[in-house]
């Protein structure tokens, strides 16, 4: 008498279907929690024949805590963002901004002159300009002819 009532809605209750639904919900929850940390800071990279420009969104990060290194065509950005401190009479209602240490590394498309790398920070955006190494720049090869 009980089961025909479920069949009336077009679907029969299945413990396996419920387990699959539960597994999807848990996976969705866990992936939503870990995604911001895996991709912080968000980065854009532009490439030209002369240089590579990298911009990274790092709001709330003290520029002095950022570390930028270039070695073997790999740019590495690391740093930390301190958690916001609450006053003694305040409690947190919601915290979505991550805090703590982060590191991101990117393989560059060509060799850069690490001695000429420049970085600037403005309104929470870090910009790194990495000029292409002279030895790596494309050059035109003259063709010799015999006359």
């Amino acid at each position: 008498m009980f089961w025909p009532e479920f069949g009336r809605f077009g679907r029969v209750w299945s413990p396996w279907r419920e387990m699959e639904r539960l597994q999807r919900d848990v996976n969705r929850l866990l992936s939503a929690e870990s995604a911001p940390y895996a991709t912080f800071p968000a980065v854009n990279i532009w490439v030209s024949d002369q240089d590579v420009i990298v911009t990274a969104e790092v709001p709330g990060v003290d520029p002095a805590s950022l570390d930028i290194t270039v070695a073997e065509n790999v740019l590495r950005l690391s740093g930390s963002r301190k958690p916001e401190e609450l006053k003694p009479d305040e409690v947190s209602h919601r915290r979505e901004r991550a805090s703590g240490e982060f590191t991101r590394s990117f393989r560059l498309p060509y060799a850069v002159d690490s001695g000429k790398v420049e970085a600037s920070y403005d309104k929470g955006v870090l910009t790194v300009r990495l000029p292409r190494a002279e030895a790596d720049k494309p050059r035109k090869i003259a063709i010799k002819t015999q006359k």
Side-chain angles (χ1 to χ4, degrees):
M1 181 162 204
F2 181 72
W3 294 108
E5 289 297 317
F6 279 107
R8 189 175 71 176
F9 297 110
R11 295 184 80 175
V12 176
W13 183 82
S14 165
W16 303 115
R17 190 177 305 124
E18 288 300 312
M19 292 294 287
E20 290 172 358
R21 185 190 59 78
L22 180 62
Q23 181 68 46
R24 282 193 308 270
D25 289 347
V26 169
N27 288 343
R28 184 172 39 87
L29 178 65
L30 293 176
S31 66
E33 288 293 321
S34 62
Y37 299 106
T39 59
F40 184 82
V43 170
N44 287 337
I45 300 175
W46 290 274
V47 178
S48 72
D49 288 343
Q50 301 298 314
D51 53 19
V52 177
I53 297 175
V54 178
T55 59
E57 294 179 5
V58 286
V61 175
D62 181 6
S65 73
L66 292 170
D67 187 38
I68 304 166
T69 59
V70 178
E72 299 179 5
N73 296 347
V74 175
L75 170 68
R76 182 173 177 262
L77 302 175
S78 60
S80 65
R81 181 164 54 191
K82 295 180 181 176
E84 296 176 42
E85 295 185 18
L86 301 174
K87 295 176 184 172
D89 60 338
E90 293 178 333
V91 293
S92 178
H93 177 67
R94 185 177 184 113
R95 283 189 172 200
E96 293 184 351
R97 293 182 62 187
S99 60
E101 296 183 2
F102 60 86
T103 299
R104 294 206 60 194
S105 298
F106 307 94
R107 176 154 303 278
L108 300 172
Y110 44 71
V112 298
D113 187 347
S114 61
K116 295 181 179 176
V117 174
E118 298 173 353
S120 61
Y121 182 92
D122 184 37
K123 297 178 183 172
V125 177
L126 173 70
T127 302
V128 183
R129 183 178 168 274
L130 304 116
R132 190 172 196 165
E134 288 296 325
D136 196 60
K137 287 184 178 177
R139 61 185 177 103
K140 186 171 183 165
I141 308 297
I143 300 172
K144 297 177 183 173
T145 59
Q146 296 179 358
K147 294 183 180 180

